[in-house]
Amino acid sequence: MNQRSQEQVPEQMGFRALADPTRRQILQLLAQDSLTIAEVAENFQMTRAAVKKHLTILDEGNLISVHAEGRARLNRLNPEGLRQVFDWFGFFDTFWDNRLAALKFEIEKDIQ
């Protein structure tokens, strides 16, 4: 196994975080406002410990950040982490645009 496959690459951690529908819902909540674990938990029928686990995975995926504000620890959406995932998809968006443009060219060439 090479070193890269042994380590979790940033995109991999982001995709792991996005794979769960509950975490995607948490991201939508955090897109509206920074929230404590308790405030996030109010929106779900699960324990604070379960919510904390989801928030930890989102943090590991660089999709949120946690900041201390007084005694509270606020969870915030990290737009830069989302951009990394978006950019990864952007590569394949460009890939398919190029492939489809080439296919269109070949079809139009055959028609003429």
Side-chain angles (χ1 to χ4, degrees), residues 22-65:
T22 299
R23 290 192 285 271
R24 292 192 303 267
Q25 288 178 310
I26 291 171
L27 287 175
Q28 289 176 322
L29 287 172
L30 296 178
Q32 298 170 25
D33 199 7
S34 299
L35 301 171
T36 64
I37 294 171
E39 291 169 333
V40 173
E42 290 173 1
N43 293 277
F44 300 94
Q45 292 185 341
M46 65 178 73
T47 64
R48 285 185 188 182
V51 169
K52 170 71 171 137
K53 198 172 207 178
H54 284 296
L55 290 169
T56 298
I57 293 169
L58 289 167
D59 188 29
E60 289 170 352
N62 199 31
L63 300 177
I64 68 167
S65 58

Side-chain angles (χ1 to χ4, degrees), residues 99-112:
R99 296 290 299 256
L100 291 172
L103 177 61
K104 179 183 176 194
F105 175 78
E106 291 299 322
I107 291 171
E108 288 174 349
K109 186 171 75 171
D110 286 346
I111 291 173
Q112 294 173 358

Side-chain angles (χ1 to χ4, degrees), residues 70-85:
R71 290 181 1 134
R73 293 178 52 79
L74 290 175
N75 299 277
R76 295 182 179 142
L77 184 68
N78 178 13
E80 185 55 38
L82 288 172
R83 175 162 301 290
Q84 291 172 353
V85 173

